[in-house]
Amino acid sequence: MSATPKKNRASRRILAAGAGLATVGALVAALPAGAAQDRGQATGHGWGRTVDVQLLSFNDLHGNLEPPAGSSGQVTHVHEDGTTEKIDAGGVEYLATHLRQAREGNRYSITAAAGDMIGGSPLLSGLFHDEPTIHALNKLDLDVTSVGNHEFDEGARELARIQNGGCHPTAGCFVDGKTFEGADFPYLAANVTDEKTGKPLLDPYFVWEKNGVKIGFIGVTLEGTPNIVTAEGVKGLKFGDEVETIDKYTKILERKGVKSIVALVHEGGAPASSAYNYDCDSPGPGDGISGPITEIAKNVNPQVDALITGHTHQAYVCTVPDPAGKPRLVTSASSYGKLYTDTTLTYDRRTKDIVRASVESANHVVTRDVPKAQDLSDLIRDWNALAAPIANRPQGWIAADINGRGSTAYEKPLGDLIADAQLEALAPVDKGGAQLALMNPGGIRSDLVYKASGAEGDGVVTYGEAFTVQPFTNMMNVVDLSGANLLAALKQQVSGSNAASVKILQVSKGFTYTLDMTKTGADRVVDGTVKLNGEPIDPAKTYRVAMNEFLAGGGDGFPALATGTNKLVGASDLDIFNAYLAAHSTASAPLAVPTADRITVVK
């Protein structure tokens, strides 16, 4: 599919979830004008045999329209002497300015993303089923993105609406007299198919074309998406192998004469340093990048010229050898719109391919010292006005920042707070009789920040801020779990599908154990150290365990938690969290920061 002006809308096909999956009909979604119009003068070899094509990319925005608060809104810069500093970053008003400035002087410029543009969003976007974020991305002139796992949070039918437009089926139209128009850019989902028909859910690829320059994009999400999304969200869908899928469509693009190919992959890795400007290709021991994306990059067809990745919320610009042994670019731009990647692809008009040796790339900070883009400021203002009556309601008080998403520790202070709230709410016999609570770290989307976000005053936690921490509104479950399966679940934090990227559950007070990270796999959970209120967990006993419905279904790679029986469904995690804040804090006696001392970590 070639880029066309917005007035010439191209039809796309998507399948919808329901009683089985059925075709929703021709999808009408505009392709961005930015891909087809001249954005500046030719650069470098603009009119010769080769032309320089600018590829701007980002990933994992998660509806963060406003600058992310606290440590969630910072990136780390490493100086030449090895010292580091934190830089405040993000906010689409600033991202728009940075992207527009970066495009200046580049005749050939493409903007692409690697998934999770929506889902797990702050209240400003999440309250409106992420319509504000799609409006913002349209204004940013995004040309194409892959789907991520969070695009499936509300299922295929809702993803169809996000792409195609239309008012929400239950919430209706949010702005009087206006129907949501959907995304002006194609969502790509090459490895997501209908279980029954085998047909792709969305377009598998997109071809950007200008003045005879053609670059193909193949979009995939991680094969393990069903493990990290609710069962309802992926009902009737099959998620294929990333490498096999990319290779399949690479061959199709080649047959169509498209030899310059970029893979948009919603899967990622972990660089050896958290600094966005870390030299990922430095030769020191332990340097470089690890994780699932490295195996994908090593095996994907050499005809693919670069991989734009995401999912792990890390920042890296690396080269990983392709199957032919040639270095190939692999990038990721952190998350929440804090960075963007600027890559130069030198296109050879004769071979129609990218000159791999000439590829240059770097991550850039979306600093907040540039002018705000007025059109994005207006968008945020208008949606904030609609959200204000709900968002500004005070829920409680805190004495200082309580870090969650911004914490790099395995046990997060905000994780302790959330688990304690869940245990307290569900401990009464008539509420489930919970003895302990477990919280998945990925469900904690932000920090609780002491500094006021608006006029509420420092230390006040508003409904909007609490929603930003826990936006999924998962219903709480209390289940019977054998001690053996509880211990198995702890070992699954660091083994199985979580071996490459550990997921340490947050635990309620009274639950303690030792995590030895000098060991490997399941052995990292030290046998005999797991205790509840000082008593060792007995494999033969039954325990009442509180957790959200996502974890209770075995989500995030915890099949042992899905063995729970005698389930009682409680209130939503957000309602429980807000009730705890109200019950345990006042303006004169705010909540203190939890000490996060339940998991002893050996490094």
Side-chain angles (χ1 to χ4, degrees), residues 419-428 430-434 476 571 576-577 579-580:
D420 286 352
Q422 294 174 353
L423 176 61
E424 179 173 289
L426 300 170
D430 63 335
K431 301 295 184 183
M476 291 301 300
I576 284 173
F577 185 51
Y580 188 86

Side-chain angles (χ1 to χ4, degrees), residues 55-183:
L55 175 59
L56 303 175
S57 58
F58 56 96
N59 51 276
D60 296 276
L61 180 64
H62 290 289
N64 277 263
L65 302 181
E66 296 177 297
S71 56
S72 295
Q74 294 180 325
V75 294
T76 301
H77 179 93
V78 60
H79 296 284
E80 289 186 8
D81 63 1
T83 60
T84 61
E85 69 170 311
K86 297 286 188 180
I87 302 173
D88 291 336
V92 294
E93 298 161 291
Y94 304 110
L95 177 59
T97 298
H98 280 280
L99 292 178
R100 290 165 184 174
Q101 290 178 348
R103 291 175 187 139
E104 291 176 4
N106 289 281
R107 181 176 178 81
Y108 299 87
S109 184
I110 314 168
T111 303
D116 276 8
M117 295 295 98
I118 59 174
S121 307
L123 184 133
L124 177 61
S125 185
L127 185 64
F128 305 107
H129 295 273
D130 281 313
E131 288 183 21
T133 295
I134 299 301
H135 283 298
L137 292 170
N138 289 344
K139 291 179 180 294
L140 289 175
D141 283 331
L142 181 63
D143 289 314
V144 60
T145 184
S146 67
V147 294
N149 53 286
H150 280 283
E151 265 79 21
F152 294 92
D153 282 349
E154 295 188 52
R157 188 180 295 277
E158 173 64 2
L159 180 54
R161 190 185 74 87
I162 290 294
Q163 176 76 89
N164 193 32
C167 296
H168 191 271
T170 57
C173 294
F174 297 115
V175 180
D176 290 341
K178 291 187 178 181
T179 299
F180 174 57
E181 293 184 352

Side-chain angles (χ1 to χ4, degrees), residues 182-200:
D184 278 354
F185 49 89
Y187 263 111
L188 304 182
N191 65 331
V192 187
T193 55
D194 178 356
E195 279 184 337
K196 293 181 179 178
T197 68
K199 294 180 179 180

